[in-house]
Amino acid sequence: MIKIENLSANIIEVTVPETLKADDFLQLAPKADALIRTYGKIRLLIDATEFNGWENTAAFEKHMGFVKAHQKSVERGALIAGHAWQHWAAGIFKIFVHPEIRVFDKNKADAALRWISEDGIVGI
C-alpha cells in the first residue's frame, strides 16, 4: 500500500510499494487535492526505492490518470530511485508533465529532501 506523509505544509512524501495497485491512487488523490485547495501548488518527494512496477494495466492507467489530473498543481517533484530503469522512465515523464522533476539515487535521499524544500513553505 502507498504511504503518504506531510513533510511540511505543501510537501508530501509518497513512499511507493514494490507493486502499485489501482486502489493506491484512491488514497493519494484526496490528500493531494486537499493540499492543492489550500496552497495552490504542492511538491512531491517520491520514494520509489522499492518500486518494481504495476500490478496490472488498470493500475498503470490509474497512475497515469492521477498524473494527468494533478501535474499542473505540482510545482516540483523529487524521485528517489532504487533502480536504474527509474532514471530513464523519469526522463521520459519529464517530456510530458508540467512540474520540474529531478531524480536522485537512494544514497542521495538527503539531497532530494533539500532540493524539494528549497524556497518552499515550511511547517504544518
Side-chain angles (χ1 to χ4, degrees):
M1 178 176 280
I2 205 164
K3 180 182 168 198
I4 306 161
E5 179 182 349
N6 279 68
L7 297 181
S8 71
N10 68 331
I11 299 173
I12 302 173
E13 179 177 14
V14 178
T15 304
V16 183
E18 184 176 354
T19 303
L20 271 174
K21 298 179 169 102
D23 290 348
D24 288 331
F25 297 95
L26 297 174
Q27 179 187 2
L28 180 58
K31 189 154 195 165
D33 291 342
L35 288 170
I36 290 164
R37 281 191 299 277
T38 301
Y39 298 103
K41 297 272 185 178
I42 61 172
R43 295 177 179 195
L44 294 176
L45 176 64
I46 303 163
D47 181 347
T49 55
E50 301 298 320
F51 179 60
N52 287 318
W54 297 265
E55 179 179 53
N56 52 33
T57 305
F60 180 78
E61 289 172 355
K62 286 283 188 186
H63 187 182
M64 295 305 107
F66 177 85
V67 170
K68 183 178 178 185
H70 293 88
Q71 58 127 349
K72 290 186 179 177
S73 298
V74 176
E75 182 178 21
R76 62 171 65 166
L79 174 69
I80 303 169
H83 307 284
W85 68 266
Q86 292 169 338
H87 286 270
W88 62 260
I92 292 169
F93 261 96
K94 288 180 190 182
I95 296 168
F96 299 104
V97 297
H98 164 75
E100 181 179 1
I101 299 171
R102 290 192 186 170
V103 183
F104 299 83
D105 288 325
K106 62 183 171 183
N107 62 342
K108 302 286 185 181
D110 56 337
L113 180 58
R114 277 194 308 277
W115 179 75
I116 204 74
S117 301
E118 284 178 355
D119 303 319
I121 299 169
V122 293
I124 293 182

